[in-house]
Amino acid sequence: MEKIGITVKEVYLFLKDKGFLDGEEGNWSLTELGKQVGGQIRQKDNGEGGFCRRTWSVLSWDEKIVNKLKMK
């Protein structure tokens, strides 16, 4: 986020304010609007099995969201 001079937390709060995300820190979900502009939730894991297996969600965005944010 160094390129735009704000923290990741500020970005997520901004996206929530604009209607692209719902939820709270550590538990974000995409809204329908977020999906329409190319937002995706992908599942990642640590590659381990059994008790060591850990998974988490990662949000990613299509670059076209920048143009949508400029319009809002």
Side-chain angles (χ1 to χ4, degrees):
M1 302 284 72
E2 293 175 16
K3 290 182 180 181
I4 56 176
I6 61 176
T7 67
V8 173
K9 183 176 181 176
E10 290 170 321
V11 170
Y12 280 96
L13 292 173
F14 178 79
L15 291 171
K16 180 180 180 179
D17 184 56
K18 297 299 181 184
F20 296 103
L21 289 177
D22 195 19
E24 57 190 33
E25 188 174 353
N27 190 27
W28 297 111
S29 61
L30 288 170
T31 62
E32 284 304 312
L33 181 60
K35 292 175 187 176
Q36 289 173 14
V37 297
Q40 297 179 4
I41 297 180
R42 297 180 181 168
Q43 294 296 314
K44 300 282 186 174
D45 68 59
N46 64 359
E48 300 290 331
F51 292 111
C52 295
R53 183 174 178 85
R54 300 288 185 264
T55 61
W56 60 94
S57 299
V58 177
L59 286 170
S60 63
W61 300 93
D62 189 290
E63 288 185 25
K64 66 184 174 182
I65 194 171
V66 173
N67 293 330
K68 294 286 185 184
L69 291 172
K70 289 179 184 177
M71 296 169 61
K72 285 200 161 252

